[in-house]
Amino acid sequence: MARKKGFKPNQSIKRPFKPEPYYFITPAIVLLIVFAVLPIFIALVISFTDMDLRGISNWSNITFVGLENYRVLLSDPIFWTSLYNTFFYVVIGVPLVILSSLGAALLLSYGSNKLFQFFRVIYYMPAITNIVAIAVIWGFLYNVSYGLFNQILGFINAGPIPWLEDPTIAKLSLILLAVWKGIGINMLIYLAALQSIPKDYYEAATIDGASRTQQFFKITFPLLGFATFFITVTTLIGWLQFFEEPFVMTQGGPLDGTISIALFIYQTGFSYSNFGYAAAASFVLFIIIIIATLIQFKLRRKQEDI
C-alpha cells in the first residue's frame, strides 16, 4: 500500500526570506555597535598605549606599552583607594536604595487618592532634578557651621558633625545623598510590579486567615522577584560607576577619602591627560561590572530552579 504524501513531524517548514524586519532593526544595531561595542574595543586598544594629548594631535607620538599600564595600576595606592571606596558605596548604598524604594512603594500602594499621587511626585522629583542644583542644596545642608543638619543636632546638644570633612563620614554623607536621589525611579518600578499582582491572591489569603506580614512574605515579596532582580542589577551597575556625587560635592576629597573608581578614571584621563592609563582603569571597571552582573544572573537562575 502506497504511503500518502503529507507533512512529517520532523520536517522543517521553509518560509520565504523576508528582509523587511532587518531593515527596521538595522539602525538600532548600527547605533549599538558604534556607541556601545566599538568604544569598548577602542578603550581596550588605548589601554595598551601611552596615549596623551600629544598622541591625540599626532598619532606618531603614541607608543605601544603592552601591559605596563595594568602593572602600574595594580601598584597605584590611589587606584586601590578608589576601588575600596567604590565597594564601600556599593555594599551600603545598593541595599539601602532597594529597601527604601520597596518601602516607599508599599506605603504609596495602599491608596490612590490625590494625597498618595502627590507623594509619588515628591519621591520622584529628586530623580529628575539637576545634580548641580542638588549639590548646592545638600552643600548647605552639610555645612558644618550653619547647615540644617548640624542646627538640628544643636537643639539636642549634639556636637557638630563634619559631614564632608572626615573621609568615612563624607562617604556616608554621599551615600545618603545618592539614596535620596535614587529612590524615585526604582519606586515607580516597584509600584508597577505591585499593581500587577492580582487582588484575588490577597482575598484568598485573607479568607484563610493570613496576616499582613504573612501575605507580604508569601505573596508580595515572591511575586516582586523579577522587579527586585532588575532593580538590583541596574542599581549595582549604577553604583559601581558612582561618579556625580563625589565629583560635585567633594572632588574625591578629603585625602582621596571619597574618590570612586569612575572619578579616578575621569581625573586620570581629563585632568592629567593620561588616556592610556585611564583606559586601563576603565577596562578593569568594565570587567568588574561584567563579573558582578553574571553572578547576579547565575543567582537568579538558581532561585528559579528551586
Side-chain angles (χ1 to χ4, degrees):
M1 183 177 178
R3 181 176 291 180
K4 185 183 290 184
K5 291 184 179 179
F7 175 76
K8 296 180 181 179
N10 295 329
Q11 184 177 356
S12 60
I13 301 174
K14 291 185 178 179
R15 296 178 178 175
F17 176 74
K18 295 181 178 179
E20 288 81 3
Y22 297 97
Y23 296 154
F24 288 103
I25 64 172
T26 297
I29 293 175
V30 170
L31 290 175
L32 182 68
I33 293 173
V34 172
F35 293 105
V37 179
L38 191 59
I40 295 174
F41 285 103
I42 293 176
L44 179 62
V45 173
I46 293 175
S47 69
F48 296 124
T49 69
D50 63 348
M51 185 175 178
D52 54 13
L53 282 179
R54 293 183 301 113
I56 291 179
S57 60
N58 187 355
W59 288 9
S60 62
N61 293 323
I62 300 175
T63 305
F64 180 77
V65 296
L67 297 175
E68 180 64 16
N69 285 330
Y70 292 94
R71 189 193 65 77
V72 176
L73 195 65
L74 294 178
S75 60
D76 189 341
I78 301 178
F79 170 74
W80 286 108
T81 301
S82 67
L83 204 59
Y84 166 77
N85 291 340
T86 301
F87 284 121
F88 187 94
Y89 293 135
V90 168
V91 169
I92 298 178
V94 172
L96 276 178
V97 169
I98 295 172
L99 291 176
S100 303
S101 305
L102 178 59
L106 287 172
L107 289 173
L108 295 176
S109 65
Y110 282 113
S112 58
N113 57 32
K114 291 185 177 180
L115 179 64
F116 287 91
Q117 293 177 3
F118 171 74
F119 276 104
R120 289 182 188 183
V121 175
I122 292 296
Y123 281 122
Y124 187 69
M125 282 182 67
I128 57 174
T129 305
N130 185 278
I131 185 64
V132 177
I134 291 174
V136 172
I137 294 172
W138 280 78
F140 283 117
L141 295 176
Y142 281 146
N143 189 280
V144 177
S145 302
Y146 49 86
L148 178 63
F149 293 150
N150 279 340
Q151 292 292 330
I152 294 174
L153 290 174
F155 288 121
I156 57 175
N157 294 323
I161 295 178
W163 297 101
L164 298 177
E165 282 73 21
D166 180 82
T168 303
I169 297 176
K171 279 195 280 286
L172 295 173
S173 301
L174 295 182
I175 289 173
L176 178 63
L177 166 59
V179 169
W180 171 80
K181 186 173 180 293
I183 288 176
I185 295 176
N186 295 328
M187 179 201 68
L188 289 182
I189 296 172
Y190 269 130
L191 273 174
L194 284 170
Q195 291 172 357
S196 67
I197 298 175
K199 302 296 182 188
D200 299 347
Y201 295 171
Y202 296 106
E203 293 173 1
T206 304
I207 293 172
D208 290 340
S211 63
R212 287 273 189 179
T213 306
Q214 289 173 324
Q215 290 180 24
F216 174 77
F217 284 105
K218 299 294 183 182
I219 299 175
T220 307
F221 192 70
L223 293 179
L224 291 177
F226 185 77
T228 303
F229 169 71
F230 175 77
I231 290 173
T232 303
V233 171
T234 55
T235 304
L236 180 62
I237 292 174
W239 280 75
L240 284 172
Q241 303 176 72
F242 197 63
F243 174 76
E244 292 178 335
E245 288 79 4
F247 178 71
V248 299
M249 295 292 292
T250 62
Q251 289 288 316
L255 302 174
D256 296 322
T258 60
I259 187 172
S260 64
I261 189 168
L263 183 57
F264 171 80
I265 293 168
Y266 173 82
Q267 291 179 341
T268 304
F270 294 97
S271 298
Y272 307 121
S273 302
N274 197 345
F275 300 115
Y277 194 56
S282 67
F283 212 76
V284 171
L285 176 61
F286 172 73
I287 292 172
I288 292 173
I289 291 173
I290 292 294
I291 292 173
T293 306
L294 290 176
I295 289 174
Q296 290 181 81
F297 273 93
K298 193 168 185 179
L299 292 175
R300 172 66 180 171
R301 198 170 294 118
K302 280 187 178 179
Q303 289 178 352
E304 290 178 347
D305 294 338
I306 295 175

